[in-house]
Amino acid sequence: VGCDRSKNLVDICGEKHFQAFVCDALSVPMRSGSCDACISIAVIHHFSTAERRVAAIHELARLLRPGGTALIYVWAMEQEYKKQKSKYLKEKNGSKANEKEINTGTAQRPVTDQVPGSSSQDSACPDQLINDSKDEGCDAGPVGADSRLPVHTNRTSFQSQDLLVPWHLKGGTKKKEENDRVLLPTDSKESQELSPVFHRYYHVFCEGELEAACRSLDCVRVQKSYYDQGNWCVVLEKL
């Protein structure tokens, strides 16, 4: 069974005869200990505070039965790791970067949110930083309350852990097309005629950050922690 904050995405699941419902990842309306396994792909990096990110992990743990496992994927600050660039960076000038984002074949490629390793990640326009600060590396601290978040330039290394990613949304004009929204690269002819551009919040994780958040909970054990194509990943076991 799946859940998402977006009713339109949940409706797509229903059309494909999958079980899904609308909910908040911080408060899933399911019985504690009712799941053998949980998967959270490209979700937790959208929470804007460390407390909320830990709370989301705790909610996953609550759903698991003792001995159950959870897999978590989040965007990595390190898009170049062990001298290897992620697909997200490699496809900057590739043809795949110009594809419409329609295919939703796997858990890692939902309509409006892919992990950097997927082939049709956010094809959005290069944008200038809203503010003048350009923090580099994982020493970049959180953006202060009196600051404005930087806007990420598509398919480049991250310059801040807390940022906005621009997304071009194409909306259908007919009611039946309301759920068939696709994201377009802003340099395409079609997208130049479309609006608006949405800016989505992301917190990209530094090496060890996701694992440390998981280890802060005494109800789970980290089975495995690894890097996968621009993502930090953890496998948890419920104690």
Side-chain angles (χ1 to χ4, degrees):
V1 62
C3 59
D4 199 282
R5 195 68 179 82
S6 166
K7 180 181 182 299
N8 284 349
L9 292 182
V10 169
D11 287 344
I12 291 173
C13 292
E15 292 167 5
K16 295 178 180 291
H17 306 293
F18 296 127
Q19 297 184 67
F21 57 90
V22 176
C23 80
D24 190 312
L26 297 181
S27 182
V28 180
M30 292 180 64
R31 187 175 66 251
S32 297
S34 60
C35 298
D36 294 315
C38 293
I39 299 173
S40 174
I41 303 293
V43 173
I44 293 176
H45 57 216
H46 288 300
F47 289 107
S48 61
T49 66
E51 291 77 12
R52 286 176 180 242
R53 294 189 284 271
V54 170
I57 298 170
H58 187 271
E59 183 69 353
L60 280 177
R62 181 189 68 79
L63 297 172
L64 292 171
R65 63 166 176 77
T69 56
L71 171 65
I72 302 172
Y73 265 62
V74 296
W75 271 18
M77 179 80 175
E78 302 85 353
Q79 289 299 305
E80 186 168 345
Y81 186 67
K82 294 184 178 179
K83 299 182 179 180
Q84 294 289 324
K85 290 185 178 181
S86 68
K87 289 182 180 179
Y88 177 67
L89 295 183
K90 287 180 180 179
E91 292 174 3
K92 180 177 181 180
N93 298 316
S95 59
K96 289 183 179 181
N98 293 322
E99 293 177 356
K100 292 182 181 180
E101 300 188 7
I102 302 174
N103 193 331
T104 59
T106 67
Q108 294 188 31
R109 297 183 62 189
V111 172
T112 57
D113 194 6
Q114 287 90 18
V115 292
S118 64
S119 62
S120 58
Q121 170 57 351
D122 51 322
S123 300
C125 62
D127 240 318
Q128 299 299 316
L129 292 177
I130 292 179
N131 63 354
D132 293 328
S133 63
K134 293 184 179 180
D135 297 323
E136 295 183 359
C138 282
D139 293 329
V143 176
D146 58 345
S147 301
R148 301 187 71 183
L149 289 171
V151 177
H152 179 58
T153 298
N154 184 45
R155 299 192 182 280
T156 65
S157 297
F158 295 116
Q159 301 301 313
S160 173
Q161 277 194 268
D162 296 276
L163 44 83
L164 299 175
V165 176
W167 295 79
H168 241 294
L169 188 67
K170 178 184 178 182
T173 56
K174 298 180 181 180
K175 289 185 178 180
K176 68 178 181 179
E177 295 174 347
E178 287 179 357
N179 293 334
D180 296 329
R181 296 178 176 180
V182 296
L183 295 164
L184 295 175
T186 15
D187 56 358
S188 71
K189 292 181 180 179
E190 286 182 85
S191 68
Q192 292 174 3
E193 302 173 359
L194 299 173
S195 62
V197 175
F198 291 97
H199 293 89
R200 304 182 67 194
Y201 171 82
Y202 284 78
H203 172 84
V204 291
F205 282 68
C206 290
E207 183 173 7
E209 185 179 355
L210 176 61
E211 185 174 354
C214 295
R215 292 189 186 280
S216 70
L217 302 175
D218 57 10
C219 58
V220 296
R221 178 177 68 88
V222 175
Q223 282 188 341
K224 187 178 181 181
S225 178
Y226 59 98
Y227 179 89
D228 180 24
Q229 283 297 338
N231 304 276
W232 287 113
C233 319
V234 162
V235 178
L236 299 177
E237 179 185 2
K238 176 71 172 291
L239 298 177

